[in-house]
Amino acid sequence: MELAAGSFSEEQFWEACAELQQPALAGADWQLLVETSGISIYRLLDKKTGLYEYKVFGVLEDCSPTLLADIYMDSDYRKQWDQYVKELYEQECNGETVVYWEVKYPFPMSNRDYVYLRQRRDLDMEGRKIHVILARSTSMPQLGERSGVIRVKQYKQSLAIESDGKKGSKVFMYYFDNPGGQIPSWLINWAAKGGNCSGSLYH
């Protein structure tokens, strides 16, 4: 399997593209969880862990594909609107760009933090321009665990965006997060708000 920079495979990028065309929900017990304002959220229970994977499909009518992809990748902009960000930055580790993110949790819960790889590619699929962003947790000695903060060691996400043929965007997202158990609040908020362009699109 050919690997792209950041240890993501070519196959992973094209799989995300394919879900835009034909959602892969067959052959597993994916359940429709939320359907509102053109956004559908499905979840799949892992019976061994009790955790859920999520898939999101929909159209954001007022946001262009390039804008959505740029917002997702802009960590500095996230710090301006997300009150739960305690710390968020990128760092070069072993020749790769790694994202560190600490999330504020209400007392008496401990904060969570993430260390993950993230890569964006703009692909051409039979003349269709598709922005694909992949992310997954990783471990780096330079970004070790901190006292009093719980490290999220299992996180993965994929996002594919293309034009809806008008002024908006057609979107597919896959998300898995452990220590989950409950649907991430940003995902519910995004659907409830009809996919606010500058809101909770990304992790």
Side-chain angles (χ1 to χ4, degrees):
M1 181 181 295
E2 183 180 356
L3 293 180
S7 299
F8 294 106
S9 70
E10 289 289 331
E11 182 179 354
Q12 287 173 308
F13 282 98
W14 290 109
E15 283 177 351
C17 287
E19 293 251 24
L20 270 176
Q21 183 69 26
Q22 181 63 47
L25 299 171
D29 294 325
W30 286 97
Q31 299 176 339
L32 179 62
L33 183 64
V34 177
E35 190 169 35
T36 180
S37 301
I39 304 295
S40 299
I41 301 177
Y42 293 82
R43 70 179 182 180
L44 177 66
L45 176 65
D46 183 333
K47 295 180 180 179
K48 292 182 179 180
T49 64
L51 301 174
Y52 285 97
E53 302 171 70
Y54 298 92
K55 287 186 177 184
V56 182
F57 305 91
V59 173
L60 308 183
E61 296 181 351
D62 298 321
C63 301
S64 71
T66 299
L67 178 59
L68 286 179
D70 289 347
I71 288 174
Y72 184 100
M73 297 296 291
D74 192 339
S75 298
D76 289 334
Y77 179 56
R78 171 140 200 168
K79 289 185 284 188
Q80 295 178 28
W81 60 262
D82 189 344
Q83 61 180 325
Y84 298 105
V85 172
K86 181 173 182 180
E87 196 170 358
L88 177 61
Y89 61 86
E90 297 181 358
Q91 179 174 323
E92 291 295 321
C93 297
N94 304 330
E96 294 185 307
T97 300
V98 179
V99 180
Y100 175 84
W101 182 36
E102 181 176 346
V103 183
K104 298 176 185 176
Y105 271 59
F107 180 83
M109 300 175 68
S110 298
N111 286 357
R112 266 64 172 174
D113 68 358
Y114 298 75
V115 175
Y116 59 96
L117 298 171
R118 182 178 64 186
Q119 186 186 357
R120 170 181 173 177
R121 293 185 63 185
D122 299 335
L123 305 177
D124 185 296
M125 188 175 187
E126 299 179 348
R128 296 156 50 202
K129 184 177 182 180
I130 302 178
H131 305 281
V132 180
I133 301 169
L134 303 180
R136 64 170 176 82
S137 55
T138 189
S139 178
M140 293 289 175
Q142 301 95 319
L143 296 169
E145 296 185 34
R146 300 181 178 185
S147 177
V149 180
I150 297 176
R151 175 65 49 87
V152 177
K153 298 180 179 179
Q154 291 179 283
Y155 155 67
K156 54 184 177 180
Q157 185 172 15
S158 59
L159 177 67
I161 312 166
E162 69 171 336
S163 172
D164 67 347
K166 301 177 183 178
K167 296 181 179 180
S169 300
K170 184 179 179 182
V171 177
F172 159 72
M173 180 187 290
Y174 167 86
Y175 184 93
F176 175 78
D177 186 332
N178 180 6
Q182 297 181 351
I183 187 168
S185 61
W186 62 264
L187 197 57
I188 285 289
N189 290 339
W190 180 41
K193 294 176 182 177
N196 188 319
C197 184
S198 62
S200 302
L201 169 66
Y202 76 104
H203 179 73

